[in-house]
Amino acid sequence: MSAYEASLLTLVAINVMLALSLNLITGLCGQVSLGHAAFFCVGAYSTALLAKAGYGLWLTAPVSVVVAGVVGIVIGLCSLRVRDDFLAIATMGAGFLVVGIVRTNEALGGELGISQIPAPWSNSWLADNFWLVTCLAALGVGLVCWWVKKSWLGYAFEAVGADEVAARGVGIDVAHYKLAAFAIGTGLAGLAGCLYAYYLTSVGPEAFGFPVSVMILAMVVVGGMGSLVGSVIAAAILTLLPEWIRFVNDYKLLVFGLLLFATMRFFPQGLYPPLAALLGGLRPSRKGA
């Protein structure tokens, strides 16, 4: 595999983790978040600071998950009393707040960010095959999300996302499950930020702005709200799209915004569910076989 292909695969794996993590919050629990890049940022900066202090991946990764999850809980607590459009605006504001703090804090590098992040290990083979580490991490995140979706926790998330009043009526503690969704989803975004920091060997506030949050949300919506497979496929396509069609890279916010609008207008369930149904309908019938 060439260095370019390995780089693309690493970015795809990181974006898959981001899409799956937001899918827990927005797709399953119904909490629309326009500031998911903030938790991605928290994970990346946590890793950068610890790595510069001499700590390796086995410490930076869990710390990034915990710190991003705690920040997610704090923002979730502040957002418990708002819903729908107001929740989206509140989370968008949280995203701007986190990036603003990073941008103006000299201890975090300010506008220049943190550079020269050391590699997580001295093993040359692992250093040359970092894409494999990110792919394994993405697989782990996928398994966690699959377990959550199939467990009682996932059913509670779906009940809250479908109708909070009805969920509360059958005894579900809506506030606690909202916070649980924020904690798990933002923690997984922190893991993606950890690997992103090691991948780039530098972090800066411009990498975690509002367009990144829109891109992550587009992956979830285009793939299908609540669909794990759809999120993975959409994350891969939307990551590779700027490489296939170069002008997309200059107009990401416009293109992803149009994708969001078109999908929500014509395919409110996302593209993957109708595509899967179409492909299933095209299969030859077993009758008479």
Side-chain angles (χ1 to χ4, degrees), residues 154-198:
Y155 291 120
F157 285 169
E158 291 179 339
V160 172
D163 192 324
E164 289 186 20
V165 176
R168 194 175 287 110
V170 296
I172 294 176
D173 192 327
V174 172
H176 285 178
Y177 283 104
K178 281 185 177 182
L179 289 179
F182 267 98
I184 299 171
T186 56
L188 295 177
L191 176 60
C194 169
L195 296 174
Y196 186 72
Y198 280 126

Side-chain angles (χ1 to χ4, degrees), residues 47 51 55-63 119-121 130 133 191 194-195 198:
T47 293
Y55 296 101
L57 180 66
W58 306 114
L59 179 67
T60 59
V63 168
W121 41 61
F130 188 67
V133 177
L191 176 60
C194 169
L195 296 174
Y198 280 126

Side-chain angles (χ1 to χ4, degrees), residues 38 41-52 67 71 97-117 202-206 208:
C41 176
V42 169
Y45 270 87
S46 299
T47 293
L49 292 173
L50 290 171
K52 294 283 281 188
V67 173
V71 174
L97 177 63
V98 169
V99 173
I101 291 173
V102 168
R103 194 182 295 275
T104 57
N105 194 323
E106 292 301 323
L108 299 176
E111 290 284 356
L112 298 178
I114 302 173
S115 59
Q116 297 180 341
I117 299 172
S202 65
V203 292
E206 72 284 347
F208 308 101

